[in-house]
Amino acid sequence: MRPALVAVAHGTREPAGREVIANLVDDVRRRLPGVEVIAAWVELVEPGLREVMSGMQRPAVVVPLLLSTGYHVTVDVPAAAALCPAPVHVAAPLGPDRYLARAMTARLREAGALFGDAVVLAAAGSTYPEGLADAERAAALLRSEWGPRVTVAYVSSVEPDVPAAVEQVRQSGADRVCVAPYLLAPGRFSSQVTELATVAGATVPTVLGGHRLVTDLVVLRYQQGLQALAATAAGSAVARPHQDLAAAIS
């Protein structure tokens, strides 16, 4: 049996957000017949990742359905993965990645934006410098797909916020402004982005989660995890005879 895929999302009280994640996991299941695909959550929703991993008895690849580096990626997810007695590989978070930049481009076009329109990429915000660097990298990837007029704003923790970023873009001469949520699923942050952007008179595309490119990216992270598990197993197999020989000599 192939290693399981554990797709772990942040967690939200918003039913629409849980539905988007459930649909994404179902899409991944259809793409990977014969693989057990399990949804888990960092917080707010059951089953929690710690519960899933403590009950896991076979190899698994944990794919964080998260878009940047932060406490969940660096602490919560690895700590929960370590509860599994079998080999586990924790994949990189989904973002930043060109797949997401292309999905965001598609969302912008669906919302009526034109290539070259000014775009404010609205990220959640982070107290981690790595998370802020990830948001800037996401914006750079979007520029390579969309055009140069892409800037970053944050929903919390960091400036500029969405209204300030929209105003700065307008002052630079942009007539049409779109605020693109760099968010996977509906929830508190996406509601704030929509409200702030609407008040500022900007177009707001939908979140990324339901796009087929996001499914493609989850499948890719799983495949990368399989390669990592295989490499680890091969390394262990090479090391073991030397360890056995050393024990015999001693």
Side-chain angles (χ1 to χ4, degrees):
M1 183 177 292
R2 298 171 72 186
L5 190 167
V6 180
V8 55
H10 181 278
T12 177
R13 294 185 177 89
E14 178 67 44
R18 297 195 295 272
E19 182 179 1
V20 165
I21 296 300
N23 290 339
L24 171 59
V25 171
D26 284 344
D27 288 343
V28 171
R29 246 183 229 115
R30 284 189 283 270
R31 289 281 304 277
L32 295 171
V35 175
E36 184 180 13
V37 180
I38 303 165
W41 306 83
V42 177
E43 59 185 14
L44 301 177
V45 185
E46 298 294 334
L49 182 61
R50 294 180 66 86
E51 174 189 346
V52 168
M53 298 312 296
S54 61
M56 182 72 61
Q57 299 299 317
R58 59 192 180 86
V61 176
V62 177
V63 179
L65 304 181
L66 302 168
L67 303 188
S68 61
T69 303
Y71 188 84
H72 293 322
V73 168
T74 58
V75 178
D76 288 336
V77 172
L83 298 174
C84 177
V88 174
H89 175 76
V90 178
L94 297 185
D97 195 279
R98 189 166 297 280
Y99 279 73
L100 298 181
R102 290 173 177 166
M104 192 172 295
T105 295
R107 291 294 192 230
L108 286 162
R109 295 303 302 272
E110 291 167 4
L114 303 175
F115 282 114
D117 284 354
V119 174
V120 174
L121 182 149
S126 177
T127 57
Y128 272 57
E130 299 93 332
L132 302 180
D134 282 348
E136 293 291 345
R137 173 63 177 154
L141 288 167
L142 183 56
R143 284 185 205 105
S144 70
E145 299 289 331
W146 184 259
R149 302 177 78 180
V150 176
T151 189
V152 181
Y154 299 96
V155 182
S156 67
S157 302
V158 192
E159 294 183 345
D161 60 17
V162 171
V166 171
E167 180 61 25
Q168 289 170 7
V169 169
R170 286 223 166 94
Q171 288 180 358
S172 72
D175 294 324
R176 293 165 53 95
V177 182
C178 299
V179 176
Y182 186 61
L183 302 166
L184 197 63
R188 178 167 58 91
F189 282 166
S190 68
S191 296
Q192 289 177 344
V193 169
T194 299
E195 180 180 351
L196 292 171
T198 301
V199 169
T203 301
V204 189
T206 189
V207 293
L208 297 171
H211 198 278
R212 62 174 179 79
L213 286 169
V214 178
T215 303
D216 291 346
L217 183 54
V218 176
V219 172
L220 176 62
R221 290 288 187 265
Y222 175 70
Q223 293 168 339
Q224 292 168 337
L226 292 183
Q227 294 172 356
L229 285 174
T232 300
S236 298
V238 169
R240 193 172 300 113
H242 296 286
Q243 294 168 352
D244 293 344
L245 177 61
I249 293 173
S250 62

